[in-house]
Amino acid sequence: MIKTKLTELLGIEYPVIQGGMAWVADAKLAAAVSEAGGLGLIGAANAPGEVVENWIREAKSLTKKPFGVNIMLMSPYADDIARICVEQGVKVITTGAGNPGKYMDMWKAAGIKVIPVVPSAALAKRMERAGADAVIAEGTESGGHIGELTTMALIPQVADAVSIPVIAAGGIADARGVAAAIAPGIADARGVAAAIALGACGVQCGTIFVCADESPAHDNFKRMIVEAKDTDTVVTGRASGAPVRCLKNKLTRSLLKLEHEEELDREAYEARTVGSLRKAVVEGDEDNGTFMAGQIAGLVCQIAPAAVIIEKLMKDSEALLKNLLQERGVTIA
Ligand SMILES: Cc1cc2nc3c(=O)[nH]c(=O)nc-3n(C[C@H](O)[C@H](O)[C@H](O)COP(=O)(O)O)c2cc1C
C-alpha cells in the first residue's frame, strides 16, 4: 500500500484524487472514487448552490468516506457554495480560477482541507502563504482549462517552491505516471531522473475518470477517449484568453479557424462555445460538443468501474515503484 503525505493529510487509502470535472464529476462518480479508497470530488463548476448542496447530500448518502468539492472561484455562485460546503461538513475543497483567500478563515475554522489548483510555482507560493494545506500542480497536458507549463517541468519547480504537499495533475493515467510523480528519492538528480522522481506526494487524474462506469459522461464521450491516440487533443481558446484542451472535432476546427483570423470575432466564438461542454457530456454531440480531455487520452483504453481503475493504478504503481530501477535497467554506480 502506497502511503504518502497526501493519504495522511486527507485520511484516504490511496494518493489519488479524481479531478473536479464540470458536468462529469457528479455525486455518483465522486462517491465511487472515495469508496474505492481515493478522493472523489464533486465539480461545482457554474452550478447554483442548491444544486451543489443536493449533490453533496447525495454523495453523503453513497459513502461515509471523505470526498471533496471543486469550486470554480469565478462562478457567480462561489460565495454560496463556499458557505454550503461548511454547513454540509465537506472535508476537502479544491479551487480553480482565482484566489480562495477570502474564504480561507471560514474554511480553516471548519477544519476543511483546502487544496488550490495551480499552474505555476509563483501561484503555489501565494496559496501556501494564504494557508492552503496542499496544492495541485496541473500541467498543460491536462483536460479542460489549462496553463502553459508541462507536468514534467512544473511539478519539481512547485515541489521546490513550497513546503506543503504537492499533488501532480496532467498526463497521468497509469502506474508510470503515478510512479513518476511520487517516487521518492534521487531528489538531486531530478533533472536527469525527472521521470523517476518529480517530487509530488499524490496525483489528480481527470481524463481516465471520464471513462469510469459511474461517470455520467455520454457513451460517445467515453468511446472517443478510448479511441483517441496521443495527438488527438488540441487547445482552443488561446486567442480568447481561456485555453481549453479537448478532443479534436468539427467544433475545435471551426474555433481554431476563427482564432486564426486577424481579429477574433468574439460573438461568433461565444455562440459556438456556449453550452458546448453540456453538448459533449450530456448529449454526446460529436460535432458540436467540447470534449475536454487530456493528452493522456491515448493511454486510456477501457471503460471500467472507478474501483477497478484505482485498484489497477495502485497495484501497478506499487509493483513499478518496487522494481523501478531494475525494470528500467538503471544502475547507479
Ligand atoms: C471533462 C473535464 C472537465 C474538467 N473540468 C474541471 C473543472 O471544472 N475544474 C477543475 O479544477 N478542473 C477541471 N478539469 C481538470 C481535472 O480536474 C484534472 O485536473 C485534469 O483532468 C488532470 O489531467 P488529465 O486529464 O491528464 O488526467 C476537467 C477535466 C476534464 C477532462
Side-chain angles (χ1 to χ4, degrees):
M1 189 86 90
I2 299 172
K3 292 288 165 203
T4 71
K5 284 185 201 161
L6 182 66
T7 53
E8 203 179 298
L9 178 71
L10 303 183
I12 54 178
E13 288 157 63
Y14 301 123
V16 179
I17 299 177
Q18 158 253 314
M21 298 173 279
W23 285 96
V24 173
D26 64 4
K28 282 196 186 66
L29 179 60
V33 170
S34 288
E35 270 297 290
L39 183 82
L41 293 181
I42 290 171
N46 277 316
E50 61 269 24
V51 172
V52 178
E53 184 167 349
N54 283 337
W55 286 338
I56 294 171
R57 287 182 197 281
E58 189 186 345
K60 280 203 256 183
S61 74
L62 295 170
T63 183
K64 296 288 162 264
K65 296 190 176 173
F67 64 88
V69 174
N70 172 258
I71 305 182
M72 224 239 322
L73 296 167
M74 271 163 57
S75 158
Y77 308 106
D79 286 353
D80 284 353
I81 295 165
R83 180 184 39 80
I84 287 165
C85 285
V86 172
E87 291 165 2
Q88 288 297 319
V90 167
K91 300 280 186 281
V92 184
I93 291 177
T94 69
T95 62
N99 188 336
K102 70 170 173 169
Y103 307 118
M104 212 54 116
D105 287 348
M106 173 173 72
W107 288 342
K108 305 292 340 179
I112 296 173
K113 304 287 185 238
V114 184
I115 314 183
V117 179
V118 297
S120 70
L123 203 59
K125 275 188 183 161
R126 245 190 18 237
M127 293 299 119
E128 181 176 41
R129 277 200 301 274
D133 296 281
V135 286
I136 297 165
E138 190 190 67
T140 193
E141 299 92 323
S142 295
H145 293 274
I146 50 165
E148 285 298 329
L149 296 177
T150 60
T151 300
M152 181 76 105
L154 178 65
I155 306 307
Q157 296 189 73
V158 171
D160 280 356
V162 296
S163 50
I164 50 178
V166 177
I167 297 131
I172 300 166
D174 75 358
R176 289 167 297 184
V178 176
I182 71 174
I186 325 185
D188 288 336
R190 277 180 312 190
V192 178
I196 303 177
L198 291 178
C201 67
V203 298
Q204 169 167 291
C205 305
T207 302
I208 195 171
F209 286 118
V210 176
C211 290
D213 274 350
E214 296 88 345
S215 150
H218 194 280
D219 284 350
N220 289 352
F221 194 170
K222 296 182 183 180
R223 180 183 41 76
M224 284 162 76
I225 289 180
V226 167
E227 288 175 359
K229 56 182 189 307
D230 54 356
T231 54
D232 281 347
T233 69
V234 69
V235 178
T236 60
R238 288 202 199 280
S240 69
V244 176
R245 184 175 299 287
C246 46
L247 295 171
K248 291 175 183 169
N249 66 354
K250 197 170 160 195
L251 175 64
T252 61
R253 280 193 295 280
S254 81
L255 292 177
L256 289 173
K257 200 161 161 230
L258 280 178
E259 289 188 44
H260 287 131
E261 279 166 14
E262 210 164 297
E263 201 169 329
L264 180 66
D265 180 346
R266 286 187 181 269
E267 220 170 283
Y269 197 90
E270 277 273 301
R272 278 173 219 195
T273 51
V274 168
S276 61
L277 181 57
R278 186 185 180 284
K279 281 182 194 155
V281 178
V282 180
E283 296 166 21
D285 182 340
E286 294 183 34
D287 286 340
N288 303 303
T290 293
F291 291 86
M292 290 181 179
Q295 288 181 334
I296 205 67
L299 213 62
V300 177
C301 44
Q302 64 166 345
I303 298 160
V308 171
I309 294 173
I310 290 183
E311 200 176 317
K312 175 159 175 42
L313 204 54
M314 285 299 111
K315 273 210 177 116
D316 289 356
S317 299
E318 272 181 47
L320 185 54
L321 281 169
K322 278 189 192 139
N323 301 319
L324 198 57
L325 298 181
Q326 267 176 338
E327 256 190 26
R328 291 294 145 94
V330 177
T331 53
I332 301 172

